[in-house]
Amino acid sequence: MTLALVLVAVAAAAWYVQEQRGPGAGSSAAAQARRLRSPLVRLADLLGIETARGRQADQWAVGAAGEKRTAARLRPLIRDGWTVLHDRALPTGRANLDHLLISRAGVVVVGDTKVRSARYPVTAQNGRLMYGNRDVTSWLRGLHHETRTVAKTLGCPAIPVVFLEGPLIPAGQLVVEGIRIVPADLALTVLRHIARRHRARGEHPGRRAAALFPAYRRT
């Protein structure tokens, strides 16, 4: 068997093994990375050839790893009686929820993990979210939609929070367009603070959340 055939076989086997992984935090992003990193892309990687699909796969993989780290940080909430769900599908559309978190008292938080390079700080200027000198307020667009959908589906208010990994936030935390942006390593502290400051209304939504927002399956 030639070296090329061996490399193809190795790439195909790696792709198959990766495809068997199940759901959990970051699973849909990881699945997209695997889908992009086909056997041919893996072969190019082994040969040191950079491809557009390989770069895209790397970006999705970084996001998936960030969601998993956030999930690990949030694990103590389960002992506090929170409902903690990761990578959940919305009732309609193709968007997903990175983290759906419901306190023991029924306070609902929609969390979104974002991983970016630490090269530039993240600040708020004139109501806009800035990454260095670049306006990145568009980062919040998806979370606005997800939060509205969760609130409508559960019939109660939902609080959006971005868990930011990588860039420094000189102010410590930010609020832009009603969305709180916090360092990912402070996620647990911030969520416990939110739970103390807010009160839920009506039936505890945690009993319905898992059924209404099932595990996400990218198609």
Side-chain angles (χ1 to χ4, degrees), residues 26-168:
S27 61
S28 62
Q32 179 66 1
R34 294 193 297 270
R35 192 170 291 110
L36 288 164
R37 192 170 280 117
S38 65
L40 287 178
V41 172
R42 288 181 180 275
L43 176 58
D45 290 343
L46 289 170
L47 295 174
I49 301 170
E50 188 174 284
T51 64
R53 287 174 67 90
R55 289 192 298 271
Q56 292 170 3
D58 289 342
Q59 292 170 356
W60 282 99
V62 166
E67 290 179 38
K68 289 179 182 296
R69 286 189 292 270
T70 297
R73 293 182 176 107
L74 300 180
R75 198 169 293 134
L77 293 177
I78 299 173
R79 294 196 299 270
D80 294 348
W82 287 58
T83 299
V84 178
L85 304 172
H86 304 294
D87 206 352
R88 314 300 285 201
L90 293 177
T92 60
R94 300 186 64 188
N96 74 308
L97 306 170
D98 287 354
H99 317 281
L100 180 56
L101 312 159
I102 305 172
S103 76
R104 178 183 295 183
V107 176
V108 178
V109 177
V110 180
D112 184 37
T113 293
K114 293 200 178 298
V115 182
R116 298 294 185 271
S117 167
R119 182 175 181 181
Y120 302 110
V122 170
T123 59
Q125 299 179 23
N126 300 316
R128 309 296 292 178
L129 186 65
M130 306 297 295
Y131 178 49
N133 295 322
R134 184 159 64 96
D135 187 332
V136 293
T137 312
S138 60
W139 286 0
L140 309 177
R141 190 177 303 144
L143 186 53
H144 277 302
H145 167 68
E146 293 153 18
T147 303
R148 287 193 300 268
T149 303
V150 168
K152 181 178 179 181
T153 303
L154 293 178
C156 64
I159 300 168
V161 180
V162 170
F163 306 121
L164 182 63
E165 183 174 311
L168 173 69

Side-chain angles (χ1 to χ4, degrees), residues 3 7 48 54 110 112 123 148 159 164 177 180-181 191 201 205:
L3 177 60
L7 291 174
V110 180
D112 184 37
T123 59
R148 287 193 300 268
I159 300 168
L164 182 63
E177 296 187 348
R180 188 179 303 210
I181 300 100
L191 289 168
R201 297 195 296 268

